[in-house]
Amino acid sequence: GIAAALLIFRMVHYELSFNKGFNNYDRTYRVVRNTNTPTRGMVYNTCTPLPAMEVLQTEISQFETSARVYELWANITIPNPNGGAPEKKFGLANQQVAFAADPTFLDIFDFELLAGDRKTALAAPNSILLTKSWAEKCFTNWEAAMGQTVLIDNLVKVKVEGILADLPMNCDFRFPYLISYETLKSNEDFFQHTGSWGSCSSNDQLYVQLENKNQLEAASKAVAMVGEKQYNRGGQIRNRYHHLQPLADLHFDNRYGNSGSHTTSKTQLKVLSFIGLLILLIACFNFINLATAQASLRAKEVGVRKTLGGTPIQLIRQFMTETGMIVFVALLMGALFALWATPFLKNISEVPDSLPFFSQPLILLFLVAIGITITCLAGFYPATVLANYQPLEAIRSKAAKQGFGGQALGKSLVVLQFVIAQALIIGALVTIHQLDYIQSKDLGFAKDLIYTFPFSEDKETIARQTALKQNLLQIADIESVSFNSDPPFSQNTWQSNFNFASRPEDANFQISQKFVDADYMQTYGIKLVAGKWLTASDTSRHCVVNTTTLKKLGITDPKEALGQTINIGRARLPIVGVTSDFHTKSLKVEHEPLLLTTRKEFYGQAAMKIRTDNIPQTIAAIENAFDKVLPEQIFNGSFFDEDIARVYQNEAKLSTTCKLFGLLAIFISCLGLFGLATHAATQRVKEIGIRKVLGASIPNLIALLSKDFLILVLIALIIAAPLAWYTMNLWLDNFVFRTHLHWWVFAIAGVSALFIAFLTVSYQAVRVAVANPIQALKTE
């Protein structure tokens, strides 16, 4: 129990420490945007339109400073002085994202700078800051990196103006480098960094720092007023607001997500902490039960001590000391076991293996606190029971009759143990069932055997897209190839205002956009319900929308929409087709209005439908084709279904956590049950002997000794089932698309617990039942 609690404390403490290392983190905020929609409710986004950033930076008096940030995933290459392919090239790993940032970004976040000037390092165009580890990868050592020139995607030259110390592990920023925000402006053709009040990309974000944390209320009101006119065009009711998200919430508010790092729900941390507490309670309940059950064995000792003048306080002190010694040994063993089990934490948490364990003061403080608490909680009641035995009754062994079977507290504690254990098992089964539902649900597109990789969106890459596609199509086991901005299911968000047909005002909702080619439908298995698919084009000439868009526009027949126009900015896009709804985001949200159109300059990902034959050879051939056409870029391929699974990694880890700790709770409960069954069987040895002499069969004796315990486990199931049903319903409510709670989940948990409990108890019952009755009936 101590080992489990210690591991859980380590996990929770690590997650709660995120972003706390920054000075002034309590007055640092990110500007985010909420949009209230008629059908989907509130939609949350990190994006801030570029014009809104200008207003926020200049007109909010409560801001001490602010910094614009643009997320990018560009590779870093070291140019070859002789020309040709670069000497070295480095791509971003999973959960890494690079930033273009204002110089004030280094004022808001006090990252350690090993070289360079904080005020000027990000001031000039075409400047870059590398982290220490990336500087060492790019050059012989980080000191040698200063002043060197590197290329972003082998095209944009930037000069190393500073070296950052490697970022702390408990920080939500995962950037390997920072480029100056001015680099975006001086290379607009490469970065395509434009925007208006009506369009918004989640890549564009704004971080601010208040002059005083007490100014939050005033600042929030001012921020909410930004865009009042621009978001309220055409007499519509305003439904879009900016507000301030505290840096302290960045790691926990998964409605918005964060820059590359994982998010952890605070509810999940509370559940985890509660599980740790429950497992400790089970262990304490066991100790109380076993100690009180075995109290009769020490009854005469108590009687003699009291007769010789021992006081209850002295006896309580003695028994509490004994408990304290047992707990101390358990602390040592639990700490060693937790240390051994630490590498396995990566299966259920993000805690890095390199994080110190016992050198952390809070871990040691937790161990001391838990030792004192368990000693008091587990030892006080048994010590009081023993100390209050009456000397005469104790010496006559009348106390021996106060066995487990006659103690209401003992039975209650057994029931509580199995209530906790069975609730955890039910929770694990429900989460597993929901994850199975997610994996098996028809998402509206094909996800199996689709291999994807990203590529740059610069002009030189655009010019080579056709050659890349031709090379990929020559691979025998590739059925189709599509270039697009992102796949059907993606965490990226690209939204815009629009108006429909000849309606004078914008629609009262925004539409998400994906830029796709003519082969997108075939590759991903998108289903049309009306019209036709997009024809090949390098620019946006026409579009396809989903049925949710039509529902929100009040159109019931998809054919009515064909030929009507979607007007976004200056673009007038006739609708040529309507797709059935497919899931573009997590199953936690409703279908979103979606527009698909062609636009070659926004393609940044390739998707290939491949055959099952020779998959390793096919992937190797894909990489060769990539390196042949884009030798300066990094190949980073993955299967689409694995990318989707990563979106639900928090749910998968919660399921694994409930499963592991649920089994541990059952195991600890059965240890206690085994001890109680041993004690009960020992007390009834002579009774069993008499029953055998009088003709009782072994099955009858096993049933006699087991039924009391199994009844307690059954009562526990009756209590645990409604508690687990209520709790798991709350969890499933997080998903718009969810499975149902079936009766068989509770049946499996109950039958499993009963079977395990029966095996535990029946071992002792069989041992006593097959014993020689003559030996049992002998006197002492």
Side-chain angles (χ1 to χ4, degrees):
I2 288 169
L6 191 57
L7 289 171
I8 288 175
F9 178 80
R10 181 176 167 85
M11 292 159 58
V12 173
H13 174 249
Y14 174 73
E15 297 292 348
L16 290 177
S17 70
F18 264 72
N19 303 326
K20 299 286 179 66
F22 294 117
N23 290 332
N24 304 315
Y25 83 92
D26 57 343
R27 56 189 181 98
T28 301
Y29 296 83
R30 178 171 64 176
V31 178
V32 292
R33 192 175 77 166
N34 293 358
T35 304
N36 195 7
T37 63
T39 56
R40 294 175 58 200
M42 195 65 74
V43 176
Y44 305 92
N45 206 299
T46 58
C47 72
T48 301
L50 300 186
M53 285 189 186
E54 293 179 15
V55 175
L56 286 160
Q57 288 186 299
T58 57
E59 297 186 10
I60 309 297
S61 61
Q62 292 83 8
F63 292 166
E64 179 182 296
T65 186
S66 60
R68 295 167 296 179
V69 164
Y70 179 77
E71 295 181 348
L72 66 155
W73 288 264
N75 303 321
I76 293 292
T77 55
I78 310 302
N80 190 330
N82 301 319
E87 283 189 349
K88 298 178 183 177
K89 53 184 180 179
F90 304 100
L92 276 62
N94 286 333
Q95 294 191 335
Q96 274 190 327
V97 56
F99 285 169
D102 281 327
T104 47
F105 186 75
L106 297 178
D107 295 331
I108 297 175
F109 300 101
D110 52 324
F111 299 108
E112 182 185 356
L113 204 61
L114 301 177
D117 188 297
R118 301 187 75 87
K119 298 296 182 184
T120 61
L122 290 175
N126 293 20
S127 58
I128 188 171
L129 297 181
L130 295 173
T131 59
K132 179 174 178 284
S133 58
W134 267 59
E136 290 172 344
K137 285 200 301 185
C138 293
F139 304 98
T140 53
N141 54 67
W142 66 265
E143 292 91 346
M146 284 294 294
Q148 299 282 355
T149 297
V150 298
L151 301 180
I152 297 176
D153 281 340
N154 209 39
L155 293 169
V156 178
K157 287 185 178 182
V158 289
K159 183 181 178 183
V160 179
E161 297 286 355
I163 306 297
L164 289 163
D166 287 335
L167 308 184
M169 294 175 290
N170 56 346
C171 162
D172 272 317
F173 301 107
R174 290 288 187 268
F175 56 80
Y177 61 86
L178 293 172
I179 65 170
S180 64
Y181 203 83
E182 291 298 316
T183 306
L184 297 181
K185 296 181 178 180
S186 58
N187 296 274
E188 285 187 353
D189 288 344
F190 175 77
F191 292 106
Q192 300 165 357
H193 185 59
T194 58
S196 64
W197 281 99
S199 63
C200 195
S201 168
S202 55
N203 294 345
D204 287 303
Q205 300 174 24
L206 183 69
Y207 287 89
V208 301
Q209 194 168 87
L210 300 181
E211 288 183 350
N212 189 313
K213 60 184 177 183
N214 296 325
Q215 295 177 318
L216 176 60
E217 185 177 353
S220 298
K221 288 179 180 177
V223 168
M225 296 302 294
V226 171
E228 184 178 20
K229 294 180 180 179
Q230 291 81 0
Y231 295 151
N232 190 24
R233 293 187 298 172
Q236 300 174 39
I237 298 174
R238 186 180 180 209
N239 65 347
R240 198 168 303 138
Y241 302 87
H242 293 287
H243 77 97
L244 299 176
Q245 180 192 27
L247 181 65
D249 289 350
L250 204 67
H251 188 67
F252 304 106
D253 197 343
N254 52 20
R255 296 174 303 174
Y256 300 100
N258 54 38
S259 301
S261 178
H262 70 283
T263 56
T264 301
S265 163
K266 280 191 175 179
T267 302
Q268 192 169 331
L269 292 184
K270 289 176 183 176
V271 169
L272 202 57
S273 302
F274 192 54
I275 288 173
L277 177 62
L278 292 179
I279 288 175
L280 264 186
L281 284 177
I282 289 176
C284 291
F285 293 166
N286 267 346
F287 187 89
I288 292 169
N289 261 344
L290 293 172
T292 51
Q294 293 180 349
S296 59
L297 302 179
R298 304 188 67 175
K300 289 188 179 181
E301 175 194 344
V302 172
V304 171
R305 287 181 178 276
K306 280 197 165 186
T307 303
L308 296 177
T311 65
I313 296 298
Q314 289 175 327
L315 291 168
I316 289 173
R317 189 184 304 128
Q318 175 198 337
F319 295 132
M320 288 292 289
T321 302
E322 292 175 4
T323 301
M325 293 173 68
I326 293 172
V327 171
F328 178 72
V329 175
L331 278 172
L332 293 178
M333 295 176 66
L336 290 173
F337 186 79
L339 185 62
W340 170 81
T342 295
F344 301 103
L345 278 184
K346 59 178 173 285
N347 296 316
I348 58 174
S349 78
E350 301 289 335
V351 179
D353 292 344
S354 57
L355 188 70
F357 204 140
F358 295 116
S359 60
Q360 291 183 284
L362 267 178
I363 294 286
L364 299 177
L365 186 63
F366 176 75
L367 277 173
V368 172
I370 209 172
I372 295 171
T373 304
I374 293 175
T375 300
C376 296
L377 182 64
F380 183 74
Y381 178 77
T384 305
V385 170
L386 281 166
N388 286 327
Y389 278 161
Q390 296 302 313
L392 189 60
E393 292 182 352
I395 291 172
R396 289 176 176 174
S397 295
K398 289 186 178 179
K401 296 178 182 177
Q402 302 173 8
F404 164 75
Q407 293 184 5
L409 177 65
K411 290 183 177 181
S412 300
L413 293 180
V414 169
V415 170
L416 278 174
Q417 289 181 65
F418 277 92
V419 165
I420 295 167
Q422 290 185 79
L424 288 175
I425 292 298
I426 291 170
L429 290 173
V430 172
T431 54
I432 291 169
H433 191 47
Q434 175 65 13
L435 288 173
D436 287 342
Y437 172 81
I438 290 170
Q439 292 169 359
S440 60
K441 180 172 172 50
D442 181 8
L443 299 178
F445 53 79
K447 62 178 180 177
D448 297 324
L449 292 173
I450 293 179
Y451 195 74
T452 67
F453 64 78
F455 53 82
S456 298
E457 300 170 24
D458 58 90
K459 285 186 175 180
E460 289 195 22
T461 304
I462 291 170
R464 288 180 277 177
Q465 281 183 16
T466 302
L468 177 60
K469 195 168 190 178
Q470 288 174 348
N471 275 266
L472 291 170
L473 287 171
Q474 289 174 3
I475 300 172
D477 288 318
I478 289 182
E479 294 181 5
S480 63
V481 178
S482 168
F483 286 173
N484 50 79
S485 61
D486 41 353
F489 187 100
S490 167
Q491 295 300 89
N492 293 337
T493 300
W494 193 321
Q495 292 182 324
S496 180
N497 290 349
F498 75 101
N499 60 44
F500 177 70
S502 57
R503 297 179 185 178
E505 72 281 348
D506 282 356
N508 63 353
F509 61 93
Q510 285 196 315
I511 195 165
S512 294
Q513 302 174 70
K514 292 182 185 293
F515 300 96
V516 302
D517 66 6
D519 299 307
Y520 193 80
M521 183 181 77
Q522 178 188 356
T523 303
Y524 282 110
I526 305 295
K527 302 177 183 66
L528 281 175
V529 295
K532 61 180 182 178
W533 186 248
L534 304 166
T535 55
S537 174
D538 291 346
T539 58
S540 299
R541 295 190 308 173
H542 43 268
C543 70
V544 169
V545 297
N546 65 351
T547 53
T548 292
T549 305
L550 302 188
K551 288 174 187 174
K552 299 189 74 172
L553 289 170
I555 299 173
T556 54
D557 184 1
K559 293 180 181 178
E560 291 180 18
L562 300 178
Q564 302 283 359
T565 59
I566 295 282
N567 307 312
I568 299 179
R570 297 178 181 177
R572 301 290 182 267
L573 304 176
I575 298 173
V576 296
V578 179
T579 72
S580 59
D581 285 329
F582 55 85
H583 290 275
T584 57
K585 293 283 188 292
S586 162
L587 295 187
K588 293 181 178 180
V589 298
E590 294 277 7
H591 293 297
E592 62 181 358
L594 180 66
L595 177 146
L596 302 108
T597 185
T598 55
R599 194 165 176 181
K600 192 173 184 179
E601 65 190 89
F602 288 154
Y603 297 161
Q605 188 176 79
M608 292 134 287
K609 180 72 174 175
I610 64 176
R611 299 184 180 91
T612 55
D613 303 330
N614 304 317
I615 290 177
Q617 292 90 331
T618 303
I619 293 173
I622 291 170
E623 186 170 0
N624 288 335
F626 177 93
D627 289 337
K628 181 180 178 181
V629 180
L630 304 172
E632 75 283 0
Q633 296 184 30
I634 305 291
F635 180 81
N636 185 19
S638 62
F639 280 100
F640 184 38
D641 57 345
E642 294 173 353
D643 296 336
I644 294 174
R646 273 192 284 273
V647 173
Y648 301 102
Q649 62 183 354
N650 277 348
E651 285 73 21
K653 286 177 179 176
L654 177 64
S655 173
T656 305
T657 302
C658 286
K659 188 163 47 180
L660 289 176
F661 288 112
L663 291 173
L664 179 61
I666 286 279
F667 176 69
I668 294 174
S669 300
C670 288
L671 281 179
L673 206 59
F674 184 81
L676 292 172
T678 303
H679 181 74
T682 303
Q683 284 190 316
R684 302 178 73 174
V685 166
K686 290 189 177 182
E687 175 194 343
I688 300 302
I690 293 170
R691 289 180 180 274
K692 286 192 74 173
V693 169
L694 295 177
S697 65
I698 290 177
N700 288 338
L701 294 175
I702 293 173
L704 175 72
L705 292 170
S706 304
K707 69 175 183 180
D708 288 343
F709 294 103
L710 296 182
I711 288 172
L712 297 179
V713 176
L714 188 60
I715 292 171
L717 174 63
I718 294 170
I719 298 171
L723 291 175
W725 180 88
Y726 175 76
T727 305
M728 296 315 297
N729 251 325
L730 289 179
W731 179 74
L732 286 171
D733 284 343
N734 291 319
F735 295 86
V736 173
F737 301 90
R738 47 167 282 186
T739 185
H740 298 287
L741 286 173
H742 299 286
W743 65 268
W744 54 261
V745 171
F746 302 93
I748 289 174
V751 170
S752 300
L754 283 169
F755 179 69
I756 294 169
F758 177 73
L759 289 180
T760 303
V761 175
S762 63
Y763 172 78
Q764 288 299 333
V766 170
R767 189 178 65 82
V768 174
V770 299
N772 186 343
I774 303 300
Q775 294 295 325
L777 293 174
K778 282 182 178 180
T779 62
E780 292 181 2

